[in-house]
Amino acid sequence: MEILKGVVVEMRSVLVAFSGGVDSSFLLKVARDTLGDRAVPVLVKAELHPAREADEAVDIADVLRAPLETVTASALDIPEVRENDPRRCYYCKRDIFTRLKAMASARGLRWVADGTHADDAGVYRPGRKALHELGVRSPLAEAALTKEEVRTLSKELGLPTWNKPSMACLASRIPYGERLTLETLRRVDGAEECLRALGFRQARVRSSGKTARIEVGREQLDRLLEREVREKVAVRLKELGFTYVSADLEGYRSGSMDEVLGD
C-alpha cells in the first residue's frame, strides 16, 4: 500500500479512468485519500459495457464522495472494433484514452491512470500497448499489486467492491472475426442479467451466431444443470434471440475466447 501511495503522490494530479470495478474503485479511493480533488474520476459510457455497470459506477463514486464526470464513446464506430479484430482492444483503448488525455489536459491534470494490475501482464491484453503509447499510468501495476492483493486491501478499506465479480467488455463474449452489432451485445447483456437474477455470481454468456455457451463458477455448475434452473435459463435466452443454449462444463474462466489464439 505504501508503494502505491508513493506512486500516487509522485503523480500530483490525475484523471482516473473509472468503471466502478474492483481495481478502479480501489485506485480512486487511494488517489482521493492522497490527492483530494486533484484526483478526478471519469466514467466512459459505451455500448460495449453492460448496461448496469454505469449505474453501479455512479453509486460507488457517491460512496467515495468523488464527483464523477462521464464521457460517451461509440466503439462500434471504429472499423477494427466493429469487425472484431483480435487486437480490437488496442483500437478501442487508443480511442478512449486519447479522449481522456484531452480531458485531463483541459483540466490541468498531469496524468491519466487506469486500474491495470500486476496480474494483467501475464494475459493477452493488446490494450496495454495503447496505454503505453499514450503515456497512461497504471499505478497498481507500478506498485506490483496483484488482483488478490487489491481485493484484500479493498476489504481493509471497507470498499463495497472488494468481492465484486470481475467484469469485462461485452465484446469479449463474441468470437474474433464475428462482426459486433448492438443487437448481439444487448442479447448477451440480457442473457447475463438473467443469470445474475438467478443468483449466479460469476457468469459469462459466450455467443457465436445464435448459440449461447454459458460459463458459471465451477462451484455453481451443478446448480445451473438442475432441471428447473436450466429450463428457466433456456426459455429466457431463447426469448432474447438465441436458438441454442449450452453449458460449458469447464465453468467460468477469464479470457476463454482467447484460447483460440494459442500461445
Side-chain angles (χ1 to χ4, degrees), residues 35-79:
L35 300 176
D37 291 339
R38 290 176 292 151
V40 178
V42 176
L43 169 68
V44 177
K45 292 184 177 181
E47 65 274 84
L48 296 186
H49 302 155
R52 71 188 185 103
E53 198 170 273
D55 293 335
E56 291 180 356
V58 171
D59 292 341
I60 294 165
D62 286 342
V63 169
L64 296 177
R65 298 180 181 179
L68 181 64
E69 298 189 36
T70 61
V71 61
T72 301
S74 181
L76 295 183
D77 289 340
I78 304 170

Side-chain angles (χ1 to χ4, degrees), residues 189-211:
D189 194 17
E192 292 187 355
E193 192 60 41
C194 163
L195 291 167
R196 281 190 290 269
L198 289 171
F200 291 95
R201 183 174 180 276
Q202 186 75 74
R204 293 286 187 272
V205 176
R206 312 295 185 183
S207 170
S208 180
K210 292 298 185 72
T211 298

Side-chain angles (χ1 to χ4, degrees), residues 243-261:
T243 302
Y244 304 104
V245 180
S246 63
D248 190 319
L249 299 184
E250 290 189 77
Y252 166 75
R253 56 212 183 274
S254 177
S256 68
M257 284 304 202
D258 294 333
E259 292 170 3
V260 298
L261 299 176

Side-chain angles (χ1 to χ4, degrees), residues 3-230:
I3 295 175
L4 175 61
K5 288 180 179 179
V7 172
V8 173
V9 167
E10 179 267 324
M11 296 172 77
R12 292 167 53 189
S13 63
V14 60
L15 183 155
V16 177
F18 182 69
S19 67
V22 178
D23 308 311
S24 65
S25 295
F26 173 66
L27 175 59
L28 179 60
K29 169 64 174 173
V30 175
R32 293 288 292 185
D33 286 351
T34 305
L35 300 176
D37 291 339
R38 290 176 292 151
V40 178
V42 176
L43 169 68
V44 177
K45 292 184 177 181
E47 65 274 84
L48 296 186
H49 302 155
R52 71 188 185 103
E53 198 170 273
D55 293 335
E56 291 180 356
V58 171
D59 292 341
I60 294 165
D62 286 342
V63 169
L64 296 177
R65 298 180 181 179
L68 181 64
E69 298 189 36
T70 61
V71 61
T72 301
S74 181
L76 295 183
D77 289 340
I78 304 170
E80 294 87 353
V81 176
R82 186 171 61 249
E83 298 304 321
N84 210 2
D85 185 286
R87 296 177 70 240
R88 64 169 181 253
C89 187
Y90 168 80
Y91 298 103
C92 184
K93 294 282 191 184
R94 187 176 66 179
D95 176 71
I96 288 174
F97 280 89
T98 295
R99 299 184 190 206
L100 295 183
K101 284 203 70 174
M103 290 181 67
S105 178
R107 288 156 178 75
L109 302 172
R110 298 181 71 238
W111 296 99
V112 173
D114 83 321
T116 297
H117 51 75
D119 291 341
D120 288 326
V123 292
Y124 181 62
R125 293 283 190 272
R128 289 202 309 269
K129 181 179 179 183
L131 302 183
H132 178 72
E133 290 174 352
L134 294 170
V136 174
R137 301 280 296 269
S138 299
L140 305 183
E142 291 181 40
L145 290 172
T146 65
K147 184 75 170 189
E148 191 59 34
E149 288 171 329
V150 170
R151 288 190 182 278
T152 298
L153 292 169
S154 295
K155 185 176 183 180
E156 291 176 2
L157 291 173
L159 294 177
T161 51
W162 74 270
N163 65 343
K164 186 176 181 179
S166 297
M167 297 298 295
C169 88
L170 294 171
S172 66
R173 281 62 153 174
I174 318 296
Y176 294 118
E178 183 176 316
R179 187 183 178 93
L180 300 180
T181 67
L182 190 58
E183 177 187 11
T184 300
L185 296 172
R186 286 178 173 171
R187 183 186 303 131
V188 168
D189 194 17
E192 292 187 355
E193 192 60 41
C194 163
L195 291 167
R196 281 190 290 269
L198 289 171
F200 291 95
R201 183 174 180 276
Q202 186 75 74
R204 293 286 187 272
V205 176
R206 312 295 185 183
S207 170
S208 180
K210 292 298 185 72
T211 298
R213 175 170 58 86
I214 300 171
E215 296 177 12
V216 299
R218 294 181 184 181
E219 73 283 357
Q220 290 193 300
L221 189 54
D222 287 345
R223 180 168 179 268
L224 176 64
L225 299 178
E226 291 174 2
R227 179 175 179 178
E228 182 178 354
V229 175
R230 71 172 188 260

